[in-house]
Amino acid sequence: MFEPTPLPDARAHVVVVGGGYAGTVAANHLRINADLDITVVNSRPVFVERIRLHQLAAGSGTATVEYGTLLGEGIELVVDTVDRIDSVARRLLLASGNHLDYDYLIYAVGSTGAVPAVPGAAEFGYLLADLDGATRLRHTLIDMPAEAPVVVVGGGLTGIEAAGELAEQGRPVTLVCGGPLGHSLSKRGRRSVAKQLRKLGVEVLEAVAVSEVRWDAVVLSDHTVLPSAATVWTAGFEVPDLAARSGLRTDALGRLLTDETLTSADDARIVAAGDCAAPSDRPLRMSCQAAGPLGAQAANTVLSRIAGEAPAVLSQAFVGQCISLGRSHGTVQLSRSDDTAVNVVVGGRTGAAIKEAICKGTLWSVRREAAKPGTYFWFKSGKRSAQLPIEQQARPDQVPLGSQ
């Protein structure tokens, strides 16, 4: 059921839904086959560097790039939103009222910040996971006195980077973790991060969570009330519900269920990449480190199917996590290929330099792939452990979600 008929006598049209890290790499990689028509559908006319959104919010950097510098020649960009995928007709229904037909679809809609269920958080909090939230926070901070208190909610990497960036500018920042600081880091990694946050004056609260957000304060689980002129919410991520709305099977978070070739469990002409993919119901950690390679591998799957060949299975290794702590310090946490942290870190100015080089290198690799399709490089691992066919696996609500 997973082998569609090749298209030897016609130019195949491949549509990539989503123009983030995974989508741009996938579109550029598809140009290995010069006989394809390639379209990218994205809701914005610019590429968003999500790994720099904390800089945009703090006013220490920008986070948008023109697609003209990232997408290869011949790739069409459609600025629109996909309302639904009609997989039977192989057609996308767009918010503008138009439609777009495809032969193959790469589903790369990414992820965004989860709308918090905590009372007042959706109304008064600033989500830092997308351009709108970061821009809104930036405008608020511009109008705030430098001494006005800021509370950052979430002790993961996004929260750590936001707290460090704001505190480096002299703002009083409290980081409410709701658990261990940097839970994905090793002991040495957490010590490195905690030490620099202390130097920046960040107050770190690990043993409490936020139970309510007010316009001028947050209420903690121990009933403490913290003044807050701006509450930055970084706890939790979610993916768009396009796949579920289109009748495609997803995991509990809404990621498209695929096999190990990133092919949809429901349709061989739909292939997923990036944060919205759940291969064998075991998604990789949401990150640009995973997104770009998944984009290239999704493109390879499509190219193989068009050629009538069996696509390769997913092969990807992690190398670590890079955290900026302001512009002058950082922590690089090394890991095993399966993304488990080892007790080795690089900190200080060297860590900051490595993080900045990786941020720049991420865009450089996209541009290189646009100029020379097929040159994209990623670290590969051995085969992932064997999985049951999706039909025989536990329901998504019985499977723990991957780390974020």
Side-chain angles (χ1 to χ4, degrees):
M1 66 177 285
F2 289 109
E3 292 299 331
T5 303
L7 303 169
D9 300 322
R11 286 179 65 92
H13 184 203
V14 184
V15 177
V16 180
V17 182
Y21 296 103
T24 52
V25 170
N28 287 330
H29 200 73
L30 286 168
R31 293 173 65 245
I32 291 175
N33 184 339
D35 294 325
L36 298 180
D37 292 325
I38 305 166
T39 301
V40 174
V41 182
N42 194 64
S43 60
R44 299 182 186 279
V46 292
F47 177 90
V48 177
E49 284 189 274
R50 288 185 62 185
I51 53 179
R52 292 194 186 275
L53 285 175
H54 62 289
Q55 290 180 248
L56 172 66
S60 58
T62 60
T64 57
V65 181
E66 295 296 327
Y67 275 113
T69 71
L70 296 178
L71 293 177
E73 184 178 354
I75 298 175
E76 180 185 10
L77 175 66
V78 174
V79 181
D80 210 329
T81 301
V82 179
D83 272 347
R84 189 169 67 86
I85 301 168
D86 184 343
S87 58
V88 175
R90 296 206 295 271
R91 174 171 291 184
L92 302 179
L93 307 179
L94 306 179
S96 62
N98 296 324
H99 69 267
L100 194 60
D101 295 327
Y102 65 87
D103 295 304
Y104 289 87
L105 176 69
I106 294 182
Y107 185 79
V109 297
S111 64
T112 188
V115 178
V118 172
E123 182 180 1
F124 300 117
Y126 295 84
L127 292 178
L128 198 56
D130 60 42
L131 182 61
D132 290 339
T135 302
R136 178 169 161 256
L137 175 58
R138 176 60 190 149
H139 292 160
T140 296
L141 292 173
I142 289 174
D143 295 333
M144 279 173 42
E147 65 275 11
V150 175
V151 173
V152 178
V153 183
L157 306 192
T158 304
I160 291 169
E161 291 195 321
E165 202 75 29
L166 295 171
E168 189 179 59
Q169 298 180 348
R171 294 187 179 277
V173 177
T174 301
L175 177 60
V176 182
C177 301
L181 173 70
H183 63 86
S184 63
L185 306 177
S186 66
K187 291 182 179 179
R188 186 169 293 177
R190 287 193 289 272
R191 285 200 301 269
S192 174
V193 167
K195 179 180 178 181
Q196 183 56 25
L197 289 177
R198 283 196 301 271
K199 287 184 178 180
L200 292 171
V202 177
E203 182 180 7
V204 178
L205 305 178
E206 297 182 87
V208 292
V210 172
S211 59
E212 182 187 355
V213 179
R214 301 172 181 171
W215 72 272
D216 61 348
V218 297
V219 181
L220 304 182
S221 53
D222 64 0
H223 306 296
T224 299
V225 178
L226 295 178
S228 178
T231 300
V232 185
W233 198 276
T234 70
F237 289 83
E238 62 185 12
V239 300
D241 65 349
L242 174 60
R245 283 190 286 112
S246 301
L248 300 170
R249 277 183 286 176
T250 67
D251 71 358
L253 199 64
R255 289 171 286 215
L256 186 68
L257 283 176
T258 76
D259 64 13
E260 288 293 296
T261 71
L262 299 174
T263 302
S264 167
D266 300 301
D267 191 324
R269 292 182 182 270
I270 299 178
V271 180
D275 290 355
C276 62
S280 300
D281 212 356
R282 293 190 306 146
L284 282 69
R285 174 168 55 87
M286 292 181 175
S287 63
C288 69
Q289 184 178 179
L294 286 173
Q297 292 176 89
N300 281 338
T301 291
V302 171
L303 292 170
S304 295
R305 292 198 181 280
I306 290 173
E309 302 169 352
V313 298
L314 173 65
S315 178
Q316 184 164 338
F318 285 86
V319 295
Q321 302 172 65
C322 296
I323 310 159
S324 65
L325 294 156
R327 295 298 85 211
S328 58
H329 286 75
T331 293
V332 178
Q333 169 69 69
L334 300 183
S335 73
R336 300 181 180 87
S337 62
D338 66 357
D339 202 28
T340 56
V342 297
N343 207 29
V344 179
V345 301
V346 179
R349 294 185 180 276
T350 301
I354 293 172
K355 170 64 187 284
E356 180 60 23
I358 288 173
C359 289
K360 291 180 178 178
T362 300
L363 285 189
W364 176 88
S365 65
V366 175
R367 292 187 173 110
R368 179 173 173 81
E369 187 66 13
K372 297 181 178 180
T375 58
Y376 189 84
F377 169 82
W378 70 93
F379 292 99
K380 298 180 175 68
S381 64
K383 292 182 179 180
R384 305 208 321 162
S385 58
Q387 294 290 303
L388 290 171
I390 289 177
E391 291 80 359
Q392 299 178 30
Q393 292 178 18
R395 296 194 312 273
D397 60 354
Q398 296 174 325
V399 181
L401 296 178
S403 60
Q404 313 227 342

